[in-house]
Amino acid sequence: MRRTPVRLLERPAAAAVAATVMLGLLTPAPGPSAPESAVPVAASESTATVFYYTKTKNWSAYKLHYAPDGGSWTTVPGVAMEAACTDWVKQTVSLGSASGLAATFNNGSGVWDNNAGKNYALGTGAITVKDGVVAHSDPCAGTGTEPGEAHTASVYYSTATVGWTTTNLHYRPSGGSWTTVPGVGMEPACTGWVKKSVDLGTATSMLATFNNGNGVWDNNNGADYTVPAGLTTVKDKKVTAGAGDPCAAETPDTQAPTVPTKVSAGADGVSVVLTWDPSTDDRGVTKYQVTRTGGTKGTLVSDVGSTVFSDTGLEAKTAYSYTVRAVDAAGNVSAASAAATATTGEKPTAPASGKPLGTDPRKDPIYFVLTARFNDGDAANNRGGSQHVKSGNAANDDPMFRGDFKGLVDKLDYIKGLGMSAVWITPVVLNRSDYDYHGYHGYDFYEVDSRLESAGASYQDLIDAAHAKGMKIYQDVVYNHSSRWGAKGLFTPTTYGVRDTQWSWYYDEKNDGFEYDGLTVETKSGKSYYNGDLWSTAEPSGNTCVNWGTPTQYTSPEGYRIYNCQWPNPTSGMFPKAYYHNCWIGNWEGEDSRSCWLHDDLADFNTESAPVQNYLIGAYNKYIDMGVDGFRVDTAVHIPRTTWNRRFLPAIQERVTQQFGTEAAKNFFVFGEVAAFVNDKWNRGSVNHSAQFYTWKERKEYSADDGKAALEMYDYEQQQGTGSQPTSTNAFLDGNAYHAPDHSEFSGMNVIDMRMHMNFGDANNAYNNGKDSDDSYNDATYNVVYVDSHDYGPNKSSERYAGGTDAWAENMSLMWTFRGIPTLYYGSEIEFQAGKKIDCGPTCPLATTGRAYYGAHLAGDVKASDFGTVDSATGAVADTLAKPLVKHVQRLNQIRRAVPALQMGQYSTEGITGSMAYKRRYTDTASGTDSFALVTVSGSATYTGIPNGTYKDAVTGDTKVVTGGTLSVPAPGKGNLRVYVLDLGGRNAAPGKIGTAGAYLK
């Protein structure tokens, strides 16, 4: 999605500083200067002692459910764990010859630590599992020695600057030996501090260093710490002997974080949705603890990474009570709790009717629509927004939110009549910005935007209606960013705008009773609450924004002075780092392009943070459950590949598998926008910023911390360079033979073919560039191929493609027969808005752009009996369907559907002369399918070394018998095509001529 500025601010030059800081993390600090004994050694080659941290669970019992590597799982719920020391339980497991175990934990009554849906992978020796972090140490070592005894060292270590969730003390008493790396586990003491008491024997001091149990050390600039007997604090590399207890001043009440507020619970059938405002605590609340009582299902205690919790599968007509507590990074739980109650309905909510079609996505050409600009089925949900007049849309009676799901449902037969069987729609989540009709400014990711829905035409209704016609729905999804107003249920900034005489028209009046939903107009100010939450003429209390109200050097287009903190931005101090990145992109081919803001209207999620990951996974699970057939991933390149491969892509696969089975998961189509707007194979030589890079799994292990892993991966792959990236033959024939593709290293994400897109100013150029890149994708037969879109035309043109009808026909002939999945941006079948600027934000009317409203061309009725076959059409839509390119794409779809090689086949140019000529084959022994085709677009071609037999052209019906392995085809003419299919008899007989000759296919 290209970002067109719609606000008034200009970006500050802060990204260079951010990039410098980030680059400083690329080289990990060395370990401590410890003796050889510091090399990790397992406590036993055949056992593992697993320690589990209990403080944030508060279960009455703890079970370890495990399977040694290569062995069988214990019977659910597993074996009981025993008390070890304060806040810890343990269990020693005999592993035999195994080198580790897979494990998970539960309370014996159905409540599990699901570790974001993954089993814990544990090794041997002493292993700790604390709040999802696996480390190596014995947290109970030395706990029998009380502080204050002779020759005892009580060490308090400050974690405020290192941010570790597990801390180990690695030490050597004077004259003694070092502990085994990584040392002994330290215990939580109070906010920002951990502690450990060590029996020194006859020694009066020890050498020490600290680490997180996973290879990250406080190396004290290369020198070990010297810690004497008695109470000592270590903070910011400073040792203070004889110090006072740093936790003595804190009482349990002040140690605990503040409680969340505004907890509300609402029942829908037998489900309850709980929401609350986040805890405003400077210690850093990392999660919330939700407790449920009521009914006969037992008490629920669950850790939640966002401020939304869904409790499903409850009993009917039953009252449930919930309490919510805040948990900070040190594991402290708020002493008080916020409560809410809800009573479930009389009967269970009917399950969603949606179910993905689950077929191979390569069979389905894609039609891409901006839902709000396609067809208006319900004028009642139209909204122009705050820019309606300024943009010029009002003068055209053309509100930005005009099309809707009802309008799309009404015209599914038009799309089917074109021959397209998959519809890619723009994001459906509730948006919030001044100009958000396109859907890329998500605000409530759990809510469908009400400006798209109507009575009888919900999002679920659209999915079901498409499936009833054999058509798929691909939902555009955004993991990279939210709107500038944050993400409801995760974090929303409070904005205090300066309201002077120039800006009084702009800011909303405060109205505590109003909840933004995109559709409802707030009556107090007469706006839809697109703008600031509050306004003020003096700095208000509670402000966190830096330099509030200071005039900047910038002015709005109207000449109004712009103030600091007028709107949210990454360096303003409004966004916590736990949820959002706090920098601007400085280098679009640098590491910061994956970890900083794209634009001031797009708040960049900290996607390496567990609460953000959980929020987004939970949101998109909702749409998977509704039965969508795939996701188009916006701005995929702006999230590290490690995060995709570790978190988001596995979560998609797991959810689809859970809901619909393995085959549906295999064919759930995920294709990413890895925007490389250059004409070379690798984006300016940067592998991390190239589309094909995202189709591969990781090649090595990185840090368990997602943020560190992203940096490590970036640095490693950049150093490997373009010449050392993996290659694949999955798209290529072996001579004339199809071979089973190897997808073992596939990441789970396919991509838009950016290189062909950028070169589609000329079809032959796009073809040759596509071929040149195909060995670097995991499987290029899944590439999504288009000429232009809602962002750009070829060669990064800002206008919709205007190469002429003949060139369009040639481009389509190539896309529909070459490898990949052909995709058409709405209206291109009639050269809609050709040459018009694709997007100019609110500075010009939408009617003058490439995102103009299309519904006028669809007025009337249309009925399609099959893909590419229209039974009847009246009104303007009949005229639209009569256009020459429409006839062309209809016939191309008919031909492609009749020849499996054109849908799923591998290809080769071996032994072929011709500018755009290739052979394709698809073989599936399970179904008995074998399809072999020779294709030439526009020009002549000669094929040598091909199988002998009878070949029939799907365009003309011409028959050629090959006896010497050679077939020659005269040039059919620009935009025309020849598809000679080998007649293999039976179900694999060549179809002969398909469809009726038209202006181009003849």
Side-chain angles (χ1 to χ4, degrees):
M1 170 64 191
R2 185 180 58 175
R3 312 305 180 219
T4 299
V6 300
R7 278 286 191 173
L8 313 172
L9 295 180
E10 294 191 25
R11 208 181 322 178
V17 175
T20 302
V21 174
M22 296 299 285
L23 288 173
L25 298 176
L26 289 175
T27 304
S33 54
E36 216 171 72
S37 63
V39 177
V41 178
S44 168
E45 293 181 358
S46 60
T47 64
T49 300
V50 181
F51 292 86
Y52 188 70
Y53 186 66
T54 65
K55 188 170 184 178
T56 52
K57 293 297 181 185
N58 293 324
W59 293 340
S60 59
Y62 293 82
K63 303 283 185 177
L64 171 65
H65 181 46
Y66 70 91
D69 292 349
S72 301
W73 283 90
T74 54
T75 302
V76 172
V79 298
M81 304 186 75
E82 61 189 53
C85 55
T86 303
D87 297 331
W88 292 92
V89 292
K90 69 177 182 179
Q91 181 60 238
T92 299
V93 176
S94 177
L95 298 176
S97 61
S99 59
L101 68 156
T104 186
F105 305 86
N106 65 89
N107 72 346
S109 300
V111 178
W112 292 78
D113 171 359
N114 70 353
N115 190 31
K118 292 185 177 180
N119 300 319
Y120 289 100
L122 310 179
T124 60
I127 306 163
T128 61
V129 180
K130 179 180 178 183
D131 298 335
V133 177
V134 176
H136 297 269
S137 69
D138 181 349
C140 301
T143 54
T145 304
E146 295 297 326
E149 292 182 7
H151 310 301
T152 296
S154 295
V155 185
Y156 285 77
Y157 181 73
S158 172
T159 60
T161 56
V162 293
W164 297 338
T165 55
T166 298
T167 305
N168 292 306
L169 170 64
H170 181 47
Y171 68 91
R172 177 174 71 84
S174 298
S177 301
W178 283 95
T179 53
T180 300
V181 168
V184 297
M186 302 188 75
E187 307 156 8
C190 58
T191 304
W193 290 92
V194 293
K195 67 179 180 179
K196 192 69 182 177
S197 293
V198 176
D199 185 357
L200 298 177
T202 58
T204 58
S205 66
M206 63 179 176
L207 294 178
T209 186
F210 306 88
N211 66 88
N212 73 345
N214 284 314
V216 180
W217 294 79
D218 171 0
N219 69 352
N220 191 29
N221 298 319
D224 299 318
Y225 291 103
T226 298
V227 179
L231 194 153
T232 303
T233 61
V234 180
K235 182 177 182 180
D236 297 334
K237 296 184 169 52
K238 180 181 179 181
V239 177
T240 305
D245 183 344
C247 299
E250 294 196 23
T251 65
D253 284 338
T254 59
Q255 288 182 39
T258 56
V259 71
T261 59
K262 296 184 179 178
V263 179
S264 63
D268 178 14
V270 292
S271 299
V272 171
V273 177
L274 202 67
T275 60
W276 59 90
D277 282 356
S279 176
T280 54
D281 196 284
D282 59 8
R283 281 178 290 264
V285 171
T286 58
K287 60 185 177 182
Y288 299 91
Q289 189 182 91
V290 176
T291 303
R292 176 247 290 154
T293 56
T296 61
K297 293 177 67 66
T299 299
L300 167 80
V301 179
S302 182
D303 289 342
V304 181
S306 66
T307 57
V308 177
F309 176 71
S310 296
D311 197 11
T312 60
L314 301 173
E315 299 163 68
K317 300 177 66 176
T318 302
Y320 290 95
S321 298
Y322 296 85
T323 59
V324 184
R325 289 179 167 87
V327 184
D328 67 16
N332 298 309
V333 182
S334 58
S337 63
T341 61
T343 301
T344 54
E346 293 188 3
K347 60 182 180 180
T349 303
S353 53
K355 181 180 179 181
L357 296 183
T359 54
D360 193 313
R362 295 173 296 179
K363 295 181 178 181
D364 301 298
I366 301 169
Y367 193 74
F368 171 35
V369 303
L370 270 71
T371 310
R373 306 303 300 158
F374 184 64
N375 187 54
D376 189 6
D378 178 9
N381 59 12
N382 292 358
R383 291 294 182 273
S386 64
Q387 304 295 310
H388 188 48
V389 174
K390 177 182 175 181
S391 64
N393 290 338
N396 294 314
D397 193 20
D398 184 26
M400 58 168 184
F401 262 99
R402 188 171 179 183
D404 45 40
F405 294 146
K406 187 176 188 305
L408 186 50
V409 168
D410 290 346
K411 301 304 176 185
L412 285 175
D413 269 25
Y414 169 77
I415 299 172
K416 185 171 184 175
L418 294 177
M420 318 297 281
S421 51
V423 186
W424 157 16
I425 61 173
T426 39
V428 305
V429 304
L430 177 61
N431 265 234
R432 187 177 182 188
S433 86
D434 291 336
Y435 216 53
D436 55 2
Y437 65 94
H438 41 65
Y440 297 97
H441 294 135
Y443 173 66
D444 188 345
F445 287 69
Y446 285 77
E447 186 70 24
V448 175
D449 201 305
S450 56
R451 292 166 290 187
L452 297 175
E453 294 195 302
S454 308
S458 67
Y459 186 31
Q460 187 68 67
D461 292 327
L462 168 63
I463 295 168
D464 294 346
H467 287 173
K469 294 181 182 294
M471 302 169 70
K472 296 180 177 179
I473 294 293
Y474 294 152
Q475 179 179 329
D476 212 321
V477 294
V478 184
Y479 287 78
N480 178 67
H481 57 265
S482 71
S483 73
R484 72 167 74 231
W485 308 115
K488 183 182 177 183
L490 180 71
F491 175 79
T492 54
T494 299
T495 306
Y496 300 94
V498 176
R499 194 184 201 235
D500 62 9
T501 55
Q502 290 183 335
W503 290 106
S504 60
W505 61 274
Y506 188 79
Y507 285 99
D508 298 326
E509 297 274 351
K510 180 173 173 55
N511 187 340
D512 290 328
F514 181 78
E515 179 72 21
Y516 171 80
D517 64 6
L519 189 64
T520 305
V521 174
E522 194 275 324
T523 56
K524 188 173 182 180
S525 61
K527 303 175 187 175
S528 293
Y529 258 44
Y530 283 99
N531 306 314
D533 297 321
L534 303 174
W535 56 269
S536 182
T537 53
E539 181 171 3
S541 61
N543 169 57
T544 62
C545 187
V546 179
N547 296 324
W548 181 90
T550 305
T552 70
Q553 61 180 305
Y554 306 112
T555 59
S556 72
E558 299 89 350
Y560 303 157
R561 180 59 53 195
I562 295 174
Y563 301 89
N564 277 331
C565 307
Q566 198 148 0
W567 301 288
N569 72 75
T571 59
S572 64
M574 299 182 193
F575 288 86
K577 293 181 180 179
Y579 303 123
Y580 286 91
H581 292 130
N582 287 180
C583 53
W584 295 106
I585 291 179
N587 179 2
W588 289 80
E589 272 72 47
E591 196 287 324
D592 59 328
S593 71
R594 307 174 315 152
S595 56
C596 296
W597 285 38
L598 293 161
H599 185 264
D600 66 351
D601 213 26
L602 307 170
D604 199 79
F605 282 131
N606 179 359
T607 48
E608 288 62 68
S609 163
V612 174
Q613 293 168 355
N614 292 337
Y615 176 85
L616 291 169
I617 289 170
Y620 290 126
N621 280 349
K622 167 180 176 175
Y623 305 107
I624 290 172
D625 294 352
M626 293 174 74
V628 296
D629 300 276
F631 288 157
R632 181 268 188 181
V633 182
D634 182 71
T635 50
V637 71
H638 297 293
I639 294 176
R641 189 179 72 178
T642 47
T643 305
W644 285 117
N645 287 346
R646 285 183 174 189
R647 309 300 175 199
F648 297 136
L649 294 172
I652 292 170
Q653 281 292 298
E654 288 166 10
R655 189 66 171 198
V656 180
T657 301
Q658 175 189 19
Q659 298 296 89
F660 306 112
T662 303
E663 189 66 17
K666 173 186 173 184
N667 290 318
F668 188 90
F669 190 44
V670 179
F671 58 105
E673 177 203 26
V674 184
F677 299 125
V678 293
N679 296 325
D680 50 0
K681 182 172 182 177
W682 297 97
N683 187 356
R684 296 184 176 90
S686 173
V687 295
N688 278 278
H689 297 84
S690 300
Q692 57 268 44
F693 183 73
Y694 280 74
T695 66
W696 296 94
K697 289 181 178 178
E698 303 308 332
R699 297 192 282 170
K700 66 187 298 289
E701 292 293 325
Y702 302 106
S703 168
D705 179 273
D706 287 351
K708 293 173 183 175
L711 293 169
E712 291 169 4
M713 185 276 292
Y714 183 89
D715 188 47
Y716 172 78
E717 294 291 0
Q718 290 297 87
Q719 290 182 28
Q720 292 299 302
T722 60
S724 298
Q725 295 302 309
T727 58
S728 167
T729 61
N730 285 337
F732 306 119
L733 292 173
D734 183 4
N736 293 314
Y738 179 88
H739 62 91
D742 177 7
H743 293 148
S744 60
E745 297 304 311
F746 175 50
S747 67
M749 181 186 290
N750 296 288
V751 291
I752 295 167
D753 197 319
M754 296 302 294
R755 194 172 183 198
M756 287 193 74
H757 165 48
M758 284 292 101
N759 286 279
F760 251 121
D762 173 74
N764 192 62
N765 196 33
Y767 166 67
N768 284 296
N769 275 273
K771 286 194 306 176
D772 181 50
S773 294
D774 283 354
D775 63 342
S776 60
Y777 296 98
N778 182 268
D779 191 343
T781 66
Y782 288 86
N783 283 14
V784 170
V785 182
Y786 59 59
V787 174
D788 63 355
S789 72
H790 59 326
D791 286 337
Y792 290 105
N795 296 313
K796 206 177 180 180
S797 167
S798 296
E799 290 77 39
R800 286 194 75 158
Y801 182 70
T805 309
D806 292 353
W808 250 124
E810 185 176 53
N811 287 341
M812 290 178 179
S813 292
L814 174 64
M815 287 195 293
W816 261 257
T817 58
F818 188 44
R819 58 88 184 130
I821 303 171
T823 301
L824 202 62
Y825 183 39
Y826 81 100
S828 291
E829 63 273 22
I830 62 169
E831 298 176 87
F832 180 60
Q833 299 295 92
K836 297 295 179 64
K837 191 173 183 64
I838 293 173
D839 172 34
C840 58
T843 64
C844 71
L846 279 166
T848 65
T849 73
R851 299 178 178 183
Y853 177 67
Y854 192 58
H857 297 276
L858 303 175
D861 295 317
V862 56
K863 298 296 180 187
S865 58
D866 202 354
F867 294 103
T869 302
V870 175
D871 288 348
S872 63
T874 61
V877 71
D879 296 333
T880 299
L881 289 165
K883 300 289 185 182
L885 279 181
V886 170
K887 298 297 184 184
H888 186 62
V889 77
Q890 285 175 319
R891 193 171 183 212
L892 283 171
N893 274 316
Q894 291 169 351
I895 292 171
R896 190 177 189 271
R897 289 181 183 282
V899 184
L902 302 183
Q903 303 170 46
M904 301 167 288
Q906 295 163 341
Y907 78 95
S908 172
T909 58
E910 180 183 354
I912 301 173
T913 60
S915 59
M916 287 186 285
Y918 35 91
K919 54 187 175 183
R920 299 192 66 186
R921 189 168 207 152
Y922 176 73
T923 306
D924 179 28
T925 55
S927 64
T929 300
D930 189 12
S931 175
F932 184 78
L934 308 174
V935 180
T936 183
V937 179
S938 297
S940 61
T942 297
Y943 305 84
T944 60
I946 61 173
N948 291 331
T950 300
Y951 290 80
K952 296 180 180 179
D953 178 26
V955 177
T956 65
D958 179 51
T959 298
K960 293 184 183 295
V961 178
V962 175
T963 57
T966 300
L967 185 151
S968 295
V969 180
K974 189 175 180 69
N976 203 352
L977 181 72
R978 294 291 178 261
V979 182
Y980 280 91
V981 181
L982 177 62
D983 192 336
L984 295 171
R987 66 173 296 154
N988 296 313
K993 182 178 179 180
I994 299 169
T996 304
Y1000 294 100
L1001 294 179
K1002 56 187 177 181

